[in-house]
Amino acid sequence: GVAVATVGIDTYWPGCAILQSIDGGQDWATVGASTAPVTMGFCGMPLSANSGEVITSEQLYVRLLAGTLAAVTVDQMLSGSNIAAYGNNGRWEVIRFASATLQPSGEYLLAELVRGDFGTEWTTGTHQQGDFFVMLDDADIFQLNIAQNLIGSPISFGFVTAGDVFDDEQTDMTWRGVSTKCLSAVAVTAANASPDIAFSWARRSRFASSWWVNGQVAPVAEESERYEVDVLNAGVVVRTINSNTPSVVYTDVQQTADFGAPVSSVDVVIYQISAVSGRGYGTAATVIAA
């Protein structure tokens, strides 16, 4: 589903009803309500692309429309505190922050950031000045479930302040089912298989996992474990290899068919497959024959 964050301009805003239409605004159904403003606002100069692998020294200025921010320890941050969405529709990055300092200008300066959290590292180079900032651990966010069969369909939302009448003002979106897409793979590693090129990767999962701490493989969050690996020649896909395990062997016969002769390295993009939403987020890598 989606997280719905609402805020009113008036300090005494009483909340709102959340309406949904799946037929272009012909029929509306009340699907929930927001009773208090969510801590949210707008960001200053955009952050640059980031791998999300370390706590960054970058800083982000945020001007809130409602709520306040507070600093936490790094351990508290890594345990789940101060998680926020940063961006806009179609390119939300999930970040964490330990330091939050109120400035004389009324803005907050956020520092000690974790970037690209929860598989959103692909969005880190897409930000613009004025992007939204929404605290995801705010108790006033409304979680709205949306049926999987509506993935790819246009959906309209209406928000009606308590006591007011709905006047057909609506926000339109296409439900892309991001929460069903497989996360990108990590740690692509080649193995000694000359003249073949063999490589493997670590699967990531939307189910709870701490494989980077305890070495336990992340659980499969899909009906079955499936991958597609695109082999590229000068950026053009020349072969797709299917696999039911997080590993592939690109044989010398296949190399000769695709490139005219065996190669010493190959560019690939690895996708885990969801039965609901198809290909997940791809991992691009250059694999060198071991």
Side-chain angles (χ1 to χ4, degrees):
V2 296
V4 182
T6 56
V7 65
I9 300 301
D10 193 315
T11 304
Y12 302 101
W13 181 68
C16 68
I18 302 169
L19 282 66
Q20 176 182 296
S21 173
I22 58 175
D23 59 6
Q26 298 300 309
D27 299 290
W28 292 89
T30 300
V31 293
S34 175
T35 58
V38 171
T39 299
M40 59 188 294
F42 299 95
C43 299
M45 290 296 294
L47 299 180
S48 59
N50 188 287
S51 66
E53 294 175 354
V54 297
I55 297 175
T56 177
S57 60
E58 295 174 290
Q59 297 179 326
L60 180 66
Y61 283 93
V62 176
R63 181 174 295 278
L64 293 181
L65 293 170
T68 59
L69 302 177
V72 297
T73 67
V74 170
D75 285 345
Q76 288 172 326
M77 173 185 70
L78 296 177
S79 296
S81 296
N82 280 0
I83 301 177
Y86 165 41
N88 210 327
N89 187 31
R91 51 180 182 84
W92 289 107
E93 177 187 355
V94 179
I95 66 173
R96 305 188 193 204
F97 59 94
S99 174
T101 306
L102 184 61
Q103 305 296 296
S105 63
E107 297 174 301
Y108 282 89
L109 177 60
L110 308 186
E112 296 179 284
L113 306 176
V114 170
R115 301 285 312 280
D117 208 7
F118 291 94
T120 62
E121 68 281 347
W122 62 274
T123 69
T124 61
T126 66
H127 294 297
Q128 301 174 17
Q129 185 160 353
D131 272 354
F132 288 106
F133 173 91
V134 182
M135 287 297 293
L136 293 179
D137 52 6
D138 191 311
D140 293 311
I141 283 185
F142 180 77
Q143 298 292 336
L144 175 62
N145 292 327
I146 302 179
Q148 291 181 351
N149 63 358
L150 292 177
I151 292 176
S153 301
I155 301 177
S156 300
F157 291 98
F159 302 90
V160 187
T161 297
D164 285 353
V165 177
F166 183 44
D167 57 7
D168 290 332
E169 289 187 6
Q170 64 191 61
T171 298
D172 300 319
M173 62 169 280
T174 297
W175 168 229
R176 299 188 300 117
V178 168
S179 57
T180 70
K181 292 175 71 69
C182 298
L183 304 186
S184 57
V186 294
V188 181
T189 306
N192 188 3
S194 181
D196 299 337
I197 298 178
F199 55 98
S200 60
W201 54 89
R203 178 185 68 244
R204 291 198 291 173
S205 173
R206 292 191 180 279
F207 289 171
S209 171
S210 298
W211 64 267
W212 59 92
V213 175
N214 57 27
Q216 297 294 320
V217 177
V220 178
E222 308 303 321
E223 292 181 6
S224 62
E225 186 173 10
R226 294 189 298 129
Y227 303 92
E228 291 179 358
V229 179
D230 285 348
V231 178
L232 280 61
N233 183 354
V236 178
V237 176
V238 293
R239 180 181 299 272
T240 298
I241 305 174
N242 296 290
S243 177
N244 293 323
T245 64
S247 63
V248 154
V249 175
Y250 183 40
T251 68
D252 65 330
V253 174
Q254 293 171 327
Q255 296 170 42
T256 299
D258 297 338
F259 293 92
V263 294
S264 58
S265 67
V266 63
D267 294 330
V268 299
V269 183
I270 303 164
Y271 302 91
Q272 189 174 356
I273 309 300
S274 164
V276 173
S277 52
R279 283 185 166 187
Y281 295 103
T283 297
T286 299
V287 182
I288 299 174

